[in-house]
Tab-separated table of all heavy atoms in Angstrom:
chain	number	residue	atom	x	y	z
A	81	ILE	N	95.726	316.986	109.895
A	81	ILE	CA	96.265	315.644	110.126
A	81	ILE	C	95.948	315.277	111.571
A	81	ILE	O	96.381	315.954	112.518
A	81	ILE	CB	97.787	315.599	109.863
A	81	ILE	CG1	98.105	316.070	108.441
A	81	ILE	CG2	98.317	314.187	110.109
A	81	ILE	CD1	99.587	316.070	108.098
A	82	LEU	N	95.149	314.217	111.742
A	82	LEU	CA	94.771	313.754	113.083
A	82	LEU	C	96.012	313.173	113.776
A	82	LEU	O	96.853	312.557	113.089
A	82	LEU	CB	93.704	312.670	112.982
A	82	LEU	CG	92.457	312.985	112.131
A	82	LEU	CD1	91.505	311.795	112.135
A	82	LEU	CD2	91.761	314.223	112.641
A	83	ARG	N	96.063	313.331	115.110
A	83	ARG	CA	95.127	314.050	115.908
A	83	ARG	C	95.406	315.549	116.005
A	83	ARG	O	94.494	316.369	116.015
A	83	ARG	CB	95.242	313.566	117.383
A	83	ARG	CG	94.754	312.230	117.741
A	83	ARG	CD	95.064	311.941	119.214
A	83	ARG	NE	96.487	311.958	119.517
A	83	ARG	CZ	96.975	311.905	120.766
A	83	ARG	NH1	96.161	311.887	121.812
A	83	ARG	NH2	98.270	311.868	120.983
A	84	ALA	N	96.697	315.870	116.167
A	84	ALA	CA	97.014	317.217	116.642
A	84	ALA	C	96.576	318.320	115.674
A	84	ALA	O	96.340	319.457	116.099
A	84	ALA	CB	98.504	317.313	116.944
A	106	MET	N	96.922	310.164	110.630
A	106	MET	CA	98.277	309.603	110.518
A	106	MET	C	98.927	309.593	111.879
A	106	MET	O	98.750	310.542	112.640
A	106	MET	CB	99.126	310.495	109.609
A	106	MET	CG	99.085	310.101	108.174
A	106	MET	SD	100.137	311.166	107.262
A	106	MET	CE	99.098	311.418	105.850
A	107	TYR	N	99.635	308.546	112.174
A	107	TYR	CA	100.475	308.595	113.371
A	107	TYR	C	101.877	308.198	112.976
A	107	TYR	O	102.093	307.544	111.952
A	107	TYR	CB	99.927	307.690	114.486
A	107	TYR	CG	100.048	306.208	114.212
A	107	TYR	CD1	101.206	305.521	114.545
A	107	TYR	CD2	99.014	305.513	113.595
A	107	TYR	CE1	101.325	304.164	114.287
A	107	TYR	CE2	99.122	304.161	113.328
A	107	TYR	CZ	100.273	303.492	113.676
A	107	TYR	OH	100.405	302.162	113.399
A	108	ARG	N	102.828	308.631	113.801
A	108	ARG	CA	104.228	308.343	113.533
A	108	ARG	C	104.601	307.073	114.263
A	108	ARG	O	104.442	306.983	115.474
A	108	ARG	CB	105.040	309.514	114.085
A	108	ARG	CG	106.162	309.930	113.216
A	108	ARG	CD	106.730	311.237	113.692
A	108	ARG	NE	107.287	311.193	115.029
A	108	ARG	CZ	108.388	311.830	115.380
A	108	ARG	NH1	109.052	312.539	114.485
A	108	ARG	NH2	108.841	311.795	116.601
A	113	ALA	N	109.705	306.279	113.070
A	113	ALA	CA	109.318	307.677	112.826
A	113	ALA	C	108.668	307.870	111.449
A	113	ALA	O	108.543	308.984	110.969
A	113	ALA	CB	110.497	308.630	113.012
A	135	ASP	N	98.929	320.915	110.643
A	135	ASP	CA	99.558	320.029	111.624
A	135	ASP	C	100.522	320.878	112.447
A	135	ASP	O	101.358	321.569	111.861
A	135	ASP	CB	100.321	318.895	110.917
A	135	ASP	CG	100.714	317.793	111.885
A	135	ASP	OD1	101.056	318.098	113.047
A	135	ASP	OD2	100.698	316.621	111.473
A	136	PRO	N	100.408	320.855	113.777
A	136	PRO	CA	101.271	321.765	114.546
A	136	PRO	C	102.762	321.445	114.474
A	136	PRO	O	103.577	322.325	114.729
A	136	PRO	CB	100.756	321.620	115.988
A	136	PRO	CG	100.035	320.333	116.027
A	136	PRO	CD	99.483	320.112	114.642
A	137	MET	N	103.126	320.181	114.138
A	137	MET	CA	104.536	319.821	114.175
A	137	MET	C	105.014	319.280	112.824
A	137	MET	O	104.428	318.347	112.276
A	137	MET	CB	104.782	318.737	115.233
A	137	MET	CG	104.261	319.052	116.624
A	137	MET	SD	104.888	320.587	117.310
A	137	MET	CE	106.452	320.073	117.984
A	138	LEU	N	106.093	319.846	112.328
A	138	LEU	CA	106.767	319.279	111.152
A	138	LEU	C	108.141	318.850	111.650
A	138	LEU	O	109.037	319.680	111.791
A	138	LEU	CB	106.851	320.329	110.041
A	138	LEU	CG	107.287	319.874	108.647
A	138	LEU	CD1	106.866	320.883	107.578
A	138	LEU	CD2	108.764	319.580	108.547
A	139	ALA	N	108.273	317.577	112.005
A	139	ALA	CA	109.525	317.089	112.609
A	139	ALA	C	110.423	316.492	111.524
A	139	ALA	O	111.243	317.191	110.932
A	139	ALA	CB	109.201	316.097	113.714
A	140	THR	N	110.252	315.209	111.218
A	140	THR	CA	110.982	314.664	110.057
A	140	THR	C	110.302	315.132	108.777
A	140	THR	O	110.870	315.015	107.690
A	140	THR	CB	110.952	313.114	110.053
A	140	THR	OG1	109.594	312.681	109.863
A	140	THR	CG2	111.493	312.538	111.346
A	141	GLY	N	109.061	315.604	108.925
A	141	GLY	CA	108.290	316.042	107.754
A	141	GLY	C	107.538	314.912	107.076
A	141	GLY	O	106.792	315.146	106.125
A	142	GLY	N	107.703	313.678	107.586
A	142	GLY	CA	107.091	312.523	106.926
A	142	GLY	C	105.574	312.629	106.831
A	142	GLY	O	104.986	312.359	105.776
A	143	SER	N	104.921	313.028	107.930
A	143	SER	CA	103.455	313.085	107.934
A	143	SER	C	102.961	314.151	106.956
A	143	SER	O	102.036	313.904	106.162
A	143	SER	CB	102.943	313.401	109.347
A	143	SER	OG	103.505	312.512	110.278
A	204	ASP	N	105.265	316.248	122.803
A	204	ASP	CA	104.282	315.597	121.914
A	204	ASP	C	103.025	316.470	121.838
A	204	ASP	O	102.278	316.595	122.811
A	204	ASP	CB	103.942	314.207	122.456
A	204	ASP	CG	103.083	313.429	121.469
A	204	ASP	OD1	101.996	313.926	121.099
A	204	ASP	OD2	103.491	312.327	121.058
A	206	GLY	N	100.109	316.209	120.240
A	206	GLY	CA	98.809	315.553	120.406
A	206	GLY	C	98.540	315.241	121.874
A	206	GLY	O	97.449	315.475	122.391
B	301	PRP	C1	102.827	314.205	115.491
B	301	PRP	C2	102.504	315.531	114.844
B	301	PRP	C3	102.726	315.262	113.384
B	301	PRP	C4	103.895	314.299	113.415
B	301	PRP	C5	105.138	315.047	113.088
B	301	PRP	O1	101.766	313.326	115.350
B	301	PRP	O2	101.208	316.002	115.131
B	301	PRP	O3	101.612	314.695	112.725
B	301	PRP	O4	103.966	313.768	114.740
B	301	PRP	O5	106.204	314.200	112.926
B	301	PRP	P1	106.908	313.947	111.515
B	301	PRP	O6	107.112	315.284	110.877
B	301	PRP	O7	108.188	313.274	111.896
B	301	PRP	O8	106.019	313.072	110.686
B	301	PRP	P2	101.750	311.904	116.089
B	301	PRP	O9	102.325	310.852	115.205
B	301	PRP	O10	102.360	312.035	117.433
B	301	PRP	O11	100.207	311.607	116.175
B	301	PRP	P3	99.087	312.364	117.007
B	301	PRP	O12	98.841	313.676	116.347
B	301	PRP	O13	97.950	311.440	116.897
B	301	PRP	O14	99.568	312.531	118.422
Side-chain angles (χ1 to χ4, degrees):
I81 303 179
L82 308 180
R83 289 176 299 171
M106 269 182 222
Y107 70 87
R108 221 169 62 141
D135 193 323
M137 307 304 276
L138 191 160
T140 65
S143 308
D204 188 303

